[in-house]
Amino acid sequence: QMNVFLFYLFTHFIFLNGEEEVFPSSRSRSAYIAASYVKFLEAAGARVAPVRINLSPEEYKTLFSSINGILFPGGAASIYSSGYQRAAQFFFEAAIEANKGGDYFPVWGTCLGFEQMMYLTSGQRILSRTNTTGIALPLNFTNEANVSRMFRPFPLELMEALSSEPLTENSHMWSLALSTYNSNDDLRKFYKVLSTNTDGQTEFVSTVEAYDYPIYGTQWHPEKNPFEWRKAYYPHSPSAVRMSFYMAEFFVSEARKNFHRFESVEKEREALIYNYSPVYTDESIPFEQIYYFE
Ligand SMILES: *[C@@H]1O[C@H](CO)[C@@H](O)[C@H](O)[C@H]1NC(C)=O
Ligand SMILES: *[C@@H]1O[C@H](CO)[C@@H](O)[C@H](O)[C@H]1NC(C)=O
Ligand SMILES: *[C@@H]1O[C@H](CO)[C@@H](O)[C@H](O)[C@H]1NC(C)=O
């Protein structure tokens, strides 16, 4: 009987490298996970454990067979060459292989994680600069949204709120332009676009799900609404908070579909995030609480 739902998140470096997303300004500690990602998954019934960057392929392989899904969080790291990229690539490829063999293993990318998936799928540097570093937007749903795996469970009134109220928070300098998606066969064949947004100049892809795999991405931040308060543009309305829960509930329900587990209770205990304590940060950092690992 399966009663353990574990999600690992990557820790990664917050140093500037020319391809960064919004990052905490404190440079003194370098590997972190914003606690909002952890709470987001816990609220929907998952237990979380962090995935460290720069582990060996053998260690990642063991982790892969121990956990039920993976979330690539937002943050600041190179999606082309970094510990974040190498770990994400390992899990992304392992998930595709597993799913091909009938082992249902879901992957979720948020913000930088979304961008990372676009690079892993296309193998090309195809992102465009957009003016979207701190703004909440309504989703412009495509005709695919209503019949998507992700949004099908959403109540109609929530879909209406999502499409008319600014409930999705964007903190990114790079985006996948819709025109780029439309002209890239690798991306077009792999991902179904569920929503788009625009910065007034460039229409970009904001939500995707893969056609053939349980792989999902949002350029926006579903985890911020209930848990982050540092910016005036973080949405906190009842619909904004409900939406966040529905996204997490969807992803966790996907992760209940496989039977990965730790070798032992001891290994599981060692891996869980409960071994770490989140820190209430100072106001220079855009997250209320952070788990630091280094
Ligand atoms: C970026 O968007 C904001 C609104 O979100 C707007 O106030 C600002 O003028 C825009 N900046 C540029 C350079 O277009
Ligand atoms: C919504 O997306 C459609 C299809 O890409 C586009 O034609 C339309 O301009 C978009 N609307 C808004 C408000 O962004
Ligand atoms: C989705 O379904 C609802 C309810 O049937 C409808 O009002 C809405 O227009 C549909 N949206 C899209 C993008 O097809």
Side-chain angles (χ1 to χ4, degrees):
Q1 188 185 337
M2 169 140 169
N3 57 5
V4 177
F5 311 119
L6 294 158
F7 292 81
Y8 279 65
L9 298 97
F10 292 103
T11 64
H12 48 84
F13 296 98
I14 59 177
F15 300 117
L16 290 176
N17 57 21
E19 271 143 3
E20 74 290 350
E21 291 291 353
V22 174
F23 56 95
S25 55
S26 160
R27 306 292 171 79
S28 56
R29 304 173 81 181
S30 58
Y32 75 96
I33 294 173
S36 46
Y37 288 100
V38 176
K39 296 180 215 180
F40 171 73
L41 294 171
E42 287 180 346
R47 287 192 288 174
V48 170
V51 169
R52 310 295 298 270
I53 57 170
N54 299 330
L55 299 188
S56 68
E58 291 69 36
E59 288 170 299
Y60 285 141
K61 218 170 155 209
T62 303
L63 274 175
F64 182 76
S65 62
S66 307
I67 62 175
N68 303 108
I70 191 145
L71 188 154
F72 305 151
S78 171
I79 59 172
Y80 306 118
S81 176
S82 67
Y84 178 94
Q85 168 264 318
R86 284 184 292 278
Q89 182 161 356
F90 180 92
F91 281 91
F92 192 77
E93 290 173 355
I96 288 175
E97 273 316 300
N99 282 295
K100 276 181 180 162
D103 178 18
Y104 198 90
F105 187 92
V107 179
W108 186 286
T110 295
C111 197
L112 188 79
F114 173 100
E115 296 166 21
Q116 179 69 80
M117 294 192 329
M118 297 307 125
Y119 176 64
L120 291 175
T121 304
S122 68
Q124 291 178 284
R125 300 186 180 220
I126 31 93
L127 301 178
S128 307
R129 279 306 269 239
T130 50
N131 177 19
T132 43
T133 50
I135 187 168
L137 298 167
L139 294 179
N140 184 9
F141 285 120
T142 64
N143 293 332
E144 311 270 21
N146 274 348
V147 291
S148 65
R149 298 188 298 274
M150 188 190 292
F151 289 116
R152 211 165 28 202
F154 279 51
L156 180 57
E157 70 268 18
L158 202 50
M159 291 300 278
E160 283 167 359
L162 261 169
S163 67
S164 58
E165 299 166 25
L167 304 184
T168 63
E169 199 277 323
N170 289 259
S171 295
H172 52 104
M173 299 174 210
W174 297 90
S175 303
L176 175 65
L178 184 62
S179 58
T180 305
Y181 166 86
N182 283 333
S183 62
N184 186 297
D185 278 351
D186 290 332
L187 294 174
R188 235 162 19 100
K189 285 180 185 152
F190 198 88
Y191 298 106
K192 187 189 298 185
V193 176
L194 306 185
S195 76
T196 63
N197 280 102
T198 178
D199 67 351
Q201 302 282 328
T202 304
E203 191 175 3
F204 60 93
V205 176
S206 48
T207 312
V208 295
E209 72 181 21
Y211 282 100
D212 300 326
Y213 303 102
I215 297 179
Y216 305 94
T218 61
Q219 180 68 81
W220 46 280
H221 285 273
E223 79 290 348
K224 283 198 196 297
N225 296 359
F227 303 117
E228 300 290 3
W229 298 87
R230 294 275 158 95
K231 305 286 182 189
Y233 48 79
Y234 293 165
H236 295 119
S237 68
S239 295
V241 173
R242 277 184 87 202
M243 177 277 281
S244 176
F245 177 76
Y246 270 87
M247 298 298 278
E249 153 68 14
F250 168 70
F251 183 49
V252 172
S253 72
E254 290 286 275
R256 290 189 172 105
K257 297 177 181 172
N258 68 64
F259 299 95
H260 293 204
R261 54 186 300 170
F262 282 92
E263 287 161 26
S264 66
V265 173
E266 291 68 40
K267 292 262 191 264
E268 181 180 282
R269 284 184 62 88
E270 278 168 30
L272 287 167
I273 193 107
Y274 311 136
N275 291 295
Y276 304 89
S277 297
V279 174
Y280 182 36
T281 64
D282 71 55
E283 283 174 17
S284 68
I285 289 178
F287 308 110
E288 294 295 337
Q289 292 180 296
I290 285 184
Y291 290 91
Y292 284 110
F293 298 91
E294 293 172 13

